[in-house]
Amino acid sequence: METLRTIARVPITVKRRVLVPTMGALHRGHLELIRIAREAAGKEGEVAASIFVNPLQFAPGGDYEKYPRPETDDEEFCRSAGVDILFRPSLDVMYAADFSIAIEENSLSTALCGKSRPGHFRGVCTVVAKLFHVLVPDAAVFGEKDFQQLAIIRRMVRDLNFQIEIIGAPTVRESDGLACSSRNQYLSATERQQAPVLRAALAEGARVAAGGERSASAIIATARKVIDMSPLARLDYLELVNADTLQPLEIVQPNSLIALAVFFGQTRLIDNIRLS
Ligand code: AMP
């Protein structure tokens, strides 16, 4: 594995290159993305991973400073996962001091997490576009855990004509259903015990929908009751939306999704489930 810290050293390649962008503190979710990237790259292709904690996507006073950065462990993780190129630039490599351009998606970003995290997806689009320019991948893999992010990246690729295939990867979970996340390590022992409530609420919503309930408000109310049973959980949002537009629905349609964000103390966790 080659570790690169500057843009100038990124090799130009004729091989198929598949990129996995991350912020590090790698876990089994990232491992699955790397596995999917390997498969998509094929024997002759190469897998590139990036690790960059992007200040542009954090709110002022958010967890940018304290975001975990286990550099040595992450590097070893990538090596043993079969990454060929690890790009881990410093802040000044990615952003000039007088950096003044950003990419903004103006429709999907107004829904769900966009409401409680203004500017977040602007930061995400900007850094991902930069990583695409620097690493010139043929394809890139993103997790469905961050469903809105995946939808926005697909939109950016379409609207800005990036010649890059975007591959979605299913959510990887702990044995109790909690979606793996770098932020899970912020949780206290009691918060961690209660955190599977996100998945339980989604599963309950999906169960009543599968049983024939079509009303979004009834499905949401059922899921909400599950969250309310957890004393430490504070709901940010719980919505039933169209999976393409991310706009709220009143009645379940074929392409529906329940998405939620829940705070445990300062830690904000997200998850979602497709309704079939
Ligand atoms: P992050 O390092 O949290 O910015 O995530 C980097 C990529 O990993 C994003 O595409 C995430 O959607 C994806 N990811 C994070 N957690 C999971 C998970 N539990 N399952 C699948 N993909 C994930």
Side-chain angles (χ1 to χ4, degrees):
M1 184 178 81
E2 206 174 343
T3 300
L4 310 168
R5 293 184 178 270
T6 63
I7 291 169
R9 300 221 24 234
V10 175
I12 297 167
T13 179
V14 289
K15 291 181 187 171
R16 176 170 166 82
R17 183 179 282 164
V18 183
L19 172 65
V20 178
T22 83
M23 296 206 300
L26 301 174
H27 50 68
R28 287 190 301 110
H30 298 114
L31 186 63
E32 177 62 5
L33 267 58
I34 294 169
R35 192 194 64 72
I36 289 172
R38 180 85 267 159
E39 219 171 73
K43 274 208 183 84
E44 304 302 320
E46 64 186 16
V47 174
S50 61
I51 298 181
F52 180 64
V53 184
N54 173 34
L56 243 62
Q57 68 190 71
F58 287 78
D63 61 344
Y64 174 69
E65 299 295 342
K66 76 161 187 181
Y67 199 84
R69 292 165 171 87
E71 294 211 357
T72 320
D73 288 355
D74 279 351
E75 187 145 349
E76 196 40 51
F77 186 104
C78 288
R79 184 172 287 111
S80 54
V83 168
D84 299 302
I85 294 179
L86 173 59
F87 181 60
R88 50 179 346 166
S90 56
L91 192 56
D92 59 321
V93 163
M94 286 300 277
Y95 295 114
D98 57 352
F99 174 83
S100 59
I101 299 275
I103 293 180
E104 198 157 282
E105 192 285 330
N106 288 307
S107 173
L108 303 171
S109 304
T110 60
L112 304 175
C113 291
K115 284 185 251 179
S116 33
R117 302 187 75 185
H120 170 68
F121 290 114
R122 187 173 191 262
V124 170
C125 285
T126 304
V127 79
V128 170
K130 285 166 71 66
L131 292 169
F132 284 175
H133 287 311
V134 170
L135 292 157
V136 204
D138 298 282
V141 189
F142 292 85
E144 287 173 0
K145 181 182 83 80
D146 301 277
F147 191 88
Q148 185 173 17
Q149 169 173 282
L150 172 60
I152 292 169
I153 297 298
R154 286 191 197 284
R155 180 66 62 91
M156 177 180 82
V157 162
R158 187 197 75 179
D159 286 0
L160 296 184
N161 305 95
F162 282 95
Q163 300 295 310
I164 298 172
E165 178 196 357
I166 302 300
I167 302 168
T171 302
V172 176
R173 299 176 180 282
E174 303 294 350
S175 54
D176 58 8
L178 176 64
C180 298
S181 164
S182 308
R183 288 190 166 99
N184 289 351
Q185 56 188 278
Y186 297 154
L187 300 170
S188 70
T190 357
E191 288 169 346
R192 174 63 189 84
Q193 257 174 4
Q194 294 182 20
V197 76
L198 276 83
R199 174 64 175 175
L202 293 169
E204 187 59 12
R207 192 185 65 78
V208 294
E213 179 60 67
R214 298 335 266 161
S215 152
S217 56
I219 294 168
I220 289 167
T222 307
R224 194 186 175 119
K225 272 189 208 145
V226 179
I227 300 288
D228 289 344
M229 283 181 333
S230 161
L232 297 178
R234 186 165 51 84
L235 192 62
D236 180 16
Y237 69 77
L238 170 56
E239 290 190 38
L240 198 155
V241 299
N242 176 293
D244 291 327
T245 65
L246 305 185
Q247 291 308 303
L249 296 171
E250 285 182 9
I251 298 291
V252 176
Q253 293 169 1
N255 191 20
S256 303
L257 173 97
I258 312 177
L260 86 176
V262 174
F263 280 102
F264 284 91
Q266 296 297 307
T267 309
R268 186 173 173 280
L269 303 178
I270 59 171
D271 205 344
N272 65 82
I273 195 166
R274 297 292 286 261
L275 299 181
S276 42

